[in-house]
Amino acid sequence: FPTRRSSELILAPAKLNLYLDVLGSRADGFHELETLLVPVRIYDQLRWVDCPNPTAKPCLRIRNLLELGCTSTTSLATTSLATGSLATGADNLVCRATERLAQVAGMEPRGTFELTKRIPMQAGLGGGSSDAAAALLLANAAWGIGYSRRRLAELAAEVGSDVPFFLNSGAAICRGRGEMVGAVSALPRMHFVVVKPPANLSTAEVFAQWKQQRGAVTEERRSVASGLGTLVELLRSGALARAGQWMVNQLESAAAAISPWIDQLQHELAGQNFCGQLMTGSGSACFGLARSATQARRVARLLSGKDLG
Ligand code: C5P
């Protein structure tokens, strides 16, 4: 996957969950997961610019292309460019990741991080986590720290459950609360249409809702418990239409209980003759696995022009 890197600029990709099983809730408040993540070509961009004054405080500058209404990808159909609440200060994951790295390495953070946002927020696309991973990689190189990937992965897991996944550049099965990453090789090139509705969803709220609905969901879970291996094998063999039948997201019904958009998008995507359709992560974005690039482009154009409300 061509994540372009130089010492000063990183393209931070979004992700889709092609499979997400919630195995149970844990004593630490998180949930035990088994999930298949693939990076997709919708990118934020993070640039680091050094500051000539070594005593100047580091800063974060954000260019928000969502607010400007620009999505430069054909595969992203947004019904609205609502940005949600983008943290612009110390709460931004870029700041949290780089401050933690500097603290552990025993140095002062320096320079300006310029973050260009294109990945919709609170959408289950992993934008904030991807930015944080990009920040760790960038600062590790720019500040001459030279930590290994393994060391960075430990710090990444402190910043967020999905952050370690984005330190690598390919598909992975993630377990634990999401931070235990196992690379998955030999998946074919796939084409998706991603739809982000106006509604944003909070990951914490969706998990809390899942917990409430737990009885019903657990029954459903049993019937799909062994589906991940089958899904990976079918994807590897290129049998995308059959693979689509094995895509599941156990958070979907919880998200649908919070936002009517989830059922509405599922219904819309189900009418497009995809191999399969699913919500990604804890939502609110949903996607279709297309049969070809041509179909993906055609449906993305169609849905972009549609008022899905
Ligand atoms: O790790 P991250 O900061 O992305 O998680 C955000 C919130 O999502 C957590 O505070 C928790 O409420 C919920 N979560 C969870 N189980 C996971 C991952 C996230 O309950 N495996």
Side-chain angles (χ1 to χ4, degrees):
F1 197 81
T3 302
R4 241 194 314 126
R5 294 215 171 109
S6 75
S7 61
E8 294 174 347
L9 172 77
I10 293 188
L11 293 181
K15 59 84 174 163
L16 296 174
N17 301 70
L18 302 195
Y19 182 100
L20 196 164
D21 195 3
V22 187
L23 304 174
S25 40
R26 314 188 333 178
D28 62 5
F30 284 87
H31 292 78
E32 198 69 13
L33 304 180
E34 185 173 59
T35 182
L36 172 61
L37 294 175
V38 295
V40 291
R41 293 166 192 248
I42 303 167
Y43 297 101
D44 286 345
Q45 179 183 293
L46 189 67
R47 185 189 293 277
W48 179 78
V49 185
D50 204 357
C51 175
N53 175 3
T55 60
K57 280 211 167 294
C59 76
L60 174 68
R61 219 178 274 150
I62 297 177
R63 209 166 131 237
N64 196 337
L65 291 190
L66 283 167
E67 248 164 32
L68 297 176
C70 307
T71 54
S72 62
T73 165
T74 51
S75 64
L76 181 68
T78 51
T79 57
S80 153
L81 294 166
T83 52
S85 47
L86 173 63
T88 53
D91 272 355
N92 187 288
L93 288 188
V94 168
C95 295
R96 282 176 38 199
T98 50
E99 269 159 28
R100 183 73 185 124
L101 176 64
Q103 187 187 29
V104 171
M107 59 176 295
E108 284 299 316
R110 90 168 194 271
T112 298
F113 289 91
E114 291 176 354
L115 175 62
T116 304
K117 288 297 296 177
R118 288 196 189 84
I119 304 172
M121 283 157 282
Q122 295 195 300
L125 293 166
S129 302
S130 190
D131 298 343
L136 286 174
L137 292 168
L138 204 51
N140 188 48
W143 298 344
I145 295 175
Y147 279 167
S148 66
R149 280 298 159 98
R150 182 185 287 237
R151 184 76 187 94
L152 288 181
E154 288 167 10
L155 294 175
E158 289 179 29
V159 179
S161 306
D162 281 347
V163 182
F165 163 76
F166 287 106
L167 289 177
N168 304 306
S169 55
I173 290 174
C174 298
R175 296 198 162 87
R177 62 182 168 86
E179 88 286 15
M180 293 160 62
V181 182
V184 172
S185 60
L187 292 191
R189 191 183 160 94
M190 291 178 269
H191 302 279
F192 300 98
V193 176
V194 183
V195 186
K196 163 64 177 65
N200 297 324
L201 284 173
S202 139
T203 303
E205 278 174 33
V206 173
F207 273 105
Q209 180 68 30
W210 177 88
K211 220 167 169 174
Q212 266 185 31
Q213 295 180 344
R214 186 181 181 155
V217 175
T218 304
E219 273 312 303
E220 197 185 325
R221 196 185 80 69
R222 277 194 201 113
S223 65
V224 296
S226 60
L228 180 55
T230 307
L231 173 60
V232 170
E233 282 316 308
L234 287 170
L235 289 173
R236 277 189 179 135
S237 71
L240 297 189
R242 284 176 61 210
Q245 311 306 306
W246 290 87
M247 298 196 311
V248 274
N249 183 340
Q250 296 296 346
L251 290 176
E252 224 166 57
S253 59
I258 298 173
S259 170
W261 277 104
I262 305 304
D263 283 342
Q264 219 164 316
L265 291 186
Q266 286 295 316
H267 178 74
E268 188 65 45
L269 292 170
Q272 302 301 335
N273 192 28
F274 284 125
C275 298
Q277 53 279 327
L278 205 67
M279 183 182 84
T280 176
S282 55
S284 58
C286 296
F287 65 92
L289 169 57
R291 291 168 196 274
S292 65
T294 310
Q295 184 199 21
R297 276 193 288 271
R298 182 179 54 73
V299 177
R301 261 198 310 275
L302 178 87
L303 295 183
S304 291
K306 220 170 179 175
D307 175 13
L308 292 177

